[in-house]
Amino acid sequence: MKRIFGNIGTMMMIIFTAFTLTSCDDDTEMAYDLDGIWQGTIYGNYYNDRYGYSEDWDTEIKVVQDGDFSRGGWGEERDWDYRGRCYTCQFEWRVRNGRIYLDYDDGYRIIIDSSYDLYSRGGTLRFKGVFEDYDTGEQLASFDLVKVYEWGDYSKKQTSNNLFDTQNDSIENKKE
């Protein structure tokens, strides 16, 4: 009898270990890879309705995962136009079935379809893809981002060149 309970206990530990080690899925891995700070450019008419005009934008996006095995979290996006204005907006995000969903505080809802490219080049992680409107599926803009390690790198670079005023104006002030 002692031997039966010992075998049952061993089997239970093996099963528990197997479930624990295989609990990570593709969406969780993607969320883990997204966690960090991304800088680059957004191309297209993404900001036409949002800020009142369309052009290419330099951007810095902080993506924070809620926990090591979470499929989502929160973030902040800073965008600079060529006139030097900086726009800031917070968002919540999640990965589901290979798609990335962004829900911005200003009401914009964006999907990054699973056709994005997330790859490493020269030891640097790069992220390219397309923003789509959540409700219509319309392509709004493409983006090309590089993962960096310090929040504010881009804004520091811009202010040191005296090209941009990185004041974080509210969106209401920008539509004037």
Side-chain angles (χ1 to χ4, degrees), residues 3 39 51 85 105 122 132 137 154 172:
R3 186 174 176 188
Q39 295 173 349
Y51 300 142
R85 291 179 281 207
D105 287 350
E132 296 178 356
Y154 200 85
E172 291 77 31

Side-chain angles (χ1 to χ4, degrees), residues 142-160:
S142 62
F143 60 88
D144 185 4
L145 306 173
V146 175
K147 195 167 195 177
V148 297
Y149 296 99
E150 186 177 338
W151 179 242
D153 279 350
Y154 200 85
S155 62
K156 289 176 196 171
K157 180 177 117 180
Q158 298 306 325
T159 56
S160 68

Side-chain angles (χ1 to χ4, degrees), residues 17-170:
T17 302
F19 279 120
T20 303
L21 294 176
T22 61
S23 64
C24 192
D25 61 18
D26 290 340
D27 288 346
T28 304
E29 289 178 26
M30 179 61 189
Y32 178 80
D33 288 341
L34 286 174
D35 185 60
I37 300 161
W38 298 87
Q39 295 173 349
T41 306
I42 297 175
Y43 310 94
N45 62 357
Y46 175 57
Y47 296 105
N48 193 34
D49 293 332
R50 195 173 193 183
Y51 300 142
Y53 50 95
S54 178
E55 56 191 39
D56 296 345
W57 295 75
D58 291 325
T59 190
E60 182 174 52
I61 302 173
K62 179 193 283 187
V63 179
V64 180
Q65 190 179 13
D66 278 338
D68 289 340
F69 300 104
S70 171
R71 291 181 185 98
W74 61 275
E76 182 175 331
E77 179 178 331
R78 294 179 185 168
D79 303 305
W80 288 269
D81 66 12
Y82 75 91
R83 295 175 185 95
R85 291 179 281 207
C86 178
Y87 304 107
T88 301
C89 196
Q90 286 75 37
F91 60 89
E92 292 186 15
W93 64 276
R94 66 193 174 287
V95 180
R96 187 175 56 213
N97 299 323
R99 300 175 89 187
I100 304 163
Y101 296 83
L102 303 169
D103 295 316
Y104 287 88
D105 287 350
D106 65 358
Y108 274 80
R109 296 171 45 189
I110 303 298
I111 296 174
I112 301 172
D113 200 345
S114 59
S115 61
Y116 57 79
D117 288 325
L118 183 64
Y119 59 96
S120 181
R121 179 182 289 162
T124 302
L125 202 55
R126 299 188 65 91
F127 186 35
K128 295 172 110 178
V130 174
F131 289 138
E132 296 178 356
D133 184 271
Y134 181 89
D135 297 316
T136 66
E138 173 188 2
Q139 290 189 355
L140 301 174
S142 62
F143 60 88
D144 185 4
L145 306 173
V146 175
K147 195 167 195 177
V148 297
Y149 296 99
E150 186 177 338
W151 179 242
D153 279 350
Y154 200 85
S155 62
K156 289 176 196 171
K157 180 177 117 180
Q158 298 306 325
T159 56
S160 68
N161 291 337
N162 293 324
L163 295 175
F164 295 110
D165 174 17
T166 58
Q167 284 276 358
N168 289 332
D169 297 326
S170 66

